[in-house]
């Protein structure tokens, strides 16, 4: 597969009904609550990276992803690319959450997506 910069353009993927449903979920549990609860925040970070990685074909187990992202231990037999993917997903989640009150397009810019290098260290 070749790199195609058009894939970085904003594209709506949710219907209006889906957006309404997601908004109702967001209203039940606020971003502020998540950010104040360190344990839940770390768990959601791992969940996000793990599930997003699985969608992309990542081979890490849930437990392996948690060990990598929280303690820096890699899972036996897994590739560097899989580890780097999870770390990048964790870092993207953290960048969005850090600027949760702002516009996501300001956080996940083309420059951020194209240049970000993985950093292997715990949250």
């Amino acid at each position: 597969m070749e790199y195609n910069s058009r894939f970085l353009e904003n594209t709506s993927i949710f219907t209006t009904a889906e957006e309404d449903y997601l908004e109702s979920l967001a209203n039940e549990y606020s971003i502020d609550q998540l950010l104040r609860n360190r344990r839940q925040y770390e768990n959601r970070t791992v969940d996000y990276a793990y599930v997003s990685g699985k969608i992309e074909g990542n081979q890490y187990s849930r437990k392996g992803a948690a060990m990598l992202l929280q303690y820096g231990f890699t899972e036996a037999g897994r590739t560097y690319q899989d580890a780097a993917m999870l770390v990048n997903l964790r870092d993207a989640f953290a960048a969005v959450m850090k600027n949760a009150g702002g516009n996501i397009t300001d956080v996940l810019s083309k420059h951020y997506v194209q240049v970000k290098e993985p950093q292997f260290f715990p949250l």
Side-chain angles (χ1 to χ4, degrees):
M1 175 188 282
E2 289 187 31
Y3 170 77
N4 185 339
S5 63
R6 288 182 307 144
F7 293 133
L8 295 174
E9 301 299 326
N10 290 338
T11 304
S12 181
I13 59 172
F14 296 112
T15 66
T16 303
E18 290 170 328
E19 288 177 354
D20 291 342
Y21 175 68
L22 290 171
E23 186 175 343
S24 72
L25 290 176
N27 290 332
E28 287 181 36
Y29 189 73
S30 74
I31 279 285
D32 292 331
Q33 285 176 293
L34 178 63
L35 293 175
R36 283 193 307 261
N37 187 327
R38 183 73 176 160
R39 178 174 279 168
Q40 279 196 335
Y41 176 78
E42 286 181 6
N43 288 338
R44 294 302 74 79
T45 300
V46 171
D47 289 342
Y48 172 81
Y50 170 72
V51 171
S52 298
K54 280 296 181 192
I55 291 169
E56 295 296 324
N58 196 293
Q59 298 298 309
Y60 265 76
S61 67
R62 169 64 174 82
K63 182 179 179 181
M67 293 298 288
L68 172 70
L69 299 176
Q70 293 176 328
Y71 306 109
F73 299 125
T74 58
E75 191 170 44
R78 302 299 176 230
T79 65
Y80 171 81
Q81 288 83 5
D82 280 351
M85 177 192 294
L86 292 176
V87 170
N88 283 335
L89 288 165
R90 176 201 63 195
D91 292 348
F93 182 83
V96 170
M97 296 306 288
K98 180 179 178 184
N99 298 297
N103 185 341
I104 193 167
T105 58
D106 294 337
V107 178
L108 294 179
S109 64
K110 287 182 184 180
H111 177 73
Y112 179 87
V113 173
Q114 291 172 337
V115 175
K116 185 72 174 140
E117 290 291 325
Q119 298 293 316
F120 290 97
F121 54 85
L123 290 172

